[in-house]
Amino acid sequence: MSRILASDSDRRALAGAALTSDAARVEVERDYEMRLVAIDRIRRIADRYDGIVPLAALREPFAFEGQKISFGSFYSGIFRPRQMRGPAALCLVTTPPKPASAAPYEDGLDPTTNTFIYHYRTAHGSSLRAIRAAEADNASLRAAIDLAVPLIYFHGIAQSQYAVVAPVFVVRDDPSRRVVELQAAMFLGDASNLGSGRIADDGADLRRYATREALVRLHQQRFRTMVLRAYAGRCAICALREASLLQAAHILEDRDPRGAATVVNGIAMCAIHHLAYDRNVMGIDPGGTVRIAERLLREIDGPMLRTGLQGFHGAKILRPRRVTEQPDPERLAVRYEAFRAAA
């Protein structure tokens, strides 16, 4: 039988029931403050890297009560720092996918419940020590639902790169499937000043909304990472390599039935060329030739128009080295017709 935490009021009731003494209450409140500080810190780091954080940055500790506290080793998927006094985990990790290798856990989204699925940890080996370590980690997952505490979820996007979803709550425990279900919540305020940060978690509707928003971000981040890797981190139009200005342009939009978030439906572009492509003032024909709208070719303006757009009319786009990652000609043809109609 699975356990479900249905609402914020249920969380408060369970958390209250778990406090058996004033000392226990103080410890839980201290751990909760630590969680707010950790969540605020990791969200600031994620903003610094535009949502996709390198592993090296995640190894930076956060400060609490004069101590430096780790976000985990990232070798084990469930982490509870030794400075925490309560039993619940602080961080969860889903490892990035490896090329031509099956993921150790099939974590993902359950569309029927609109929750993230997170698997129990299995022991690394058959020794009694390894089994006990895995079960201790899994117990910290169950404690998170009993104590109704927020966690940080690191979702691997590519090798040594993670998207951050924080805060999340463990809302359901299913021992028969050896999984828990997670939902995101909204974090408000600045937790760097203890007591000023808070978590907006006032009901199932808000959690579903926050989870959908988190899923959209993960979808976009994964797509961007795959496309930029395929194009060797450069704009397919002008070859710009400045990572902060590079984006993944969809050939066909998400809402199109053929608009899947796959590499063949994406092209790496700098911000100006992505916007020009989206606004149909620049097109790419099925053969990969850049076309600029006729009205722009007739205009006389500054160097940006002359060299940034007009100068690429008739040029060929840069393509990924792997044929299987090159833009799909059929999708390009459909999109090119939309450009011609608009131009």
Side-chain angles (χ1 to χ4, degrees):
M1 179 69 68
S2 62
R3 294 181 296 154
I4 303 173
L5 194 55
S7 67
D8 189 50
S9 60
D10 290 339
R11 285 201 179 95
R12 294 190 184 102
L14 283 172
L19 303 179
T20 58
S21 67
D22 289 342
R25 183 177 292 105
V26 169
E27 288 189 358
V28 169
E29 289 176 353
R30 173 191 173 276
D31 281 1
Y32 190 82
E33 289 180 349
M34 185 191 297
R35 290 174 188 277
L36 290 182
V37 172
I39 290 167
D40 179 70
R41 175 61 180 161
I42 204 63
R43 287 170 66 92
R44 290 173 185 269
I45 293 174
D47 287 344
R48 187 198 314 165
Y49 290 95
D50 198 24
I52 304 176
V53 187
L55 181 57
L58 297 178
R59 294 197 187 284
E60 298 176 11
F62 66 95
F64 181 75
E65 293 184 345
Q67 301 180 76
K68 292 184 177 181
I69 302 175
S70 171
F71 287 107
S73 67
F74 291 80
Y75 297 114
S76 175
I78 303 167
F79 176 70
R80 173 188 166 275
R82 58 179 174 78
Q83 294 89 345
M84 276 193 159
R85 297 169 184 169
L90 174 65
C91 303
L92 306 177
V93 179
T94 291
T95 57
K98 295 181 181 179
S101 176
Y105 304 100
E106 296 180 357
D107 296 330
L109 184 89
D110 185 343
T112 60
T113 59
N114 207 37
T115 58
F116 290 103
I117 303 300
Y118 191 86
H119 284 70
Y120 285 12
R121 186 163 87 78
T122 55
H124 300 312
S126 57
S127 69
L128 183 59
R129 180 178 180 181
I131 294 170
R132 284 176 174 172
E135 287 310 307
D137 282 349
N138 295 332
S140 72
L141 277 180
R142 291 187 287 272
I145 193 171
D146 290 339
L147 291 173
V149 291
L151 293 83
I152 298 168
Y153 181 31
F154 297 108
H155 192 94
I157 298 294
Q159 185 175 3
S160 298
Q161 292 184 310
Y162 292 82
V164 178
V165 185
V168 297
F169 284 93
V170 183
V171 295
R172 176 173 176 156
D173 176 28
D174 191 341
S176 63
R177 295 166 56 206
R178 292 182 60 80
V179 301
V180 296
E181 295 178 9
L182 315 174
Q183 280 191 322
M186 299 181 71
F187 184 77
L188 307 175
D190 179 5
S192 60
N193 179 14
L194 289 182
S196 63
R198 66 186 182 88
I199 294 170
D201 186 42
D202 296 325
D205 288 342
L206 187 57
R207 292 197 304 274
R208 280 194 293 268
Y209 170 80
T211 303
R212 284 196 298 268
E213 290 292 297
L215 178 64
V216 169
R217 288 196 302 274
L218 287 175
H219 168 89
Q220 293 169 341
Q221 291 159 344
R222 186 178 294 112
F223 179 67
R224 179 181 184 273
T225 300
M226 291 189 304
V227 171
L228 266 56
R229 180 196 55 76
Y231 284 81
R234 58 183 181 171
C235 173
I237 310 300
C238 65
L240 179 72
R241 290 184 179 274
E242 174 52 47
S244 65
L245 297 177
L246 291 179
Q247 301 171 353
H250 284 79
I251 299 174
L252 298 180
E253 297 179 344
D254 278 332
R255 61 174 174 262
D256 189 294
R258 296 154 295 182
T262 61
V263 174
V264 297
N265 188 45
I267 303 175
M269 295 184 189
C270 66
I272 185 65
H273 289 130
H274 187 181
L275 187 61
Y277 192 56
D278 282 353
R279 296 293 187 270
N280 283 322
V281 296
M282 182 187 78
I284 301 172
D285 71 18
T289 301
V290 177
R291 303 297 182 186
I292 302 300
E294 192 67 31
R295 65 179 179 81
L296 284 187
L297 291 176
R298 293 194 300 266
E299 283 190 16
I300 299 175
D301 202 344
M304 187 63 227
L305 176 64
R306 186 170 61 254
T307 62
L309 290 172
Q310 292 171 340
F312 289 103
H313 183 68
K316 290 286 189 179
I317 65 169
L318 303 174
R319 294 175 178 268
R321 293 179 59 186
R322 296 178 181 174
V323 175
T324 56
E325 295 180 335
Q326 294 179 4
D328 176 18
E330 293 184 7
R331 288 183 171 95
L332 285 174
V334 173
R335 179 62 184 270
Y336 188 62
E337 287 306 311
F339 161 74
R340 292 181 62 187

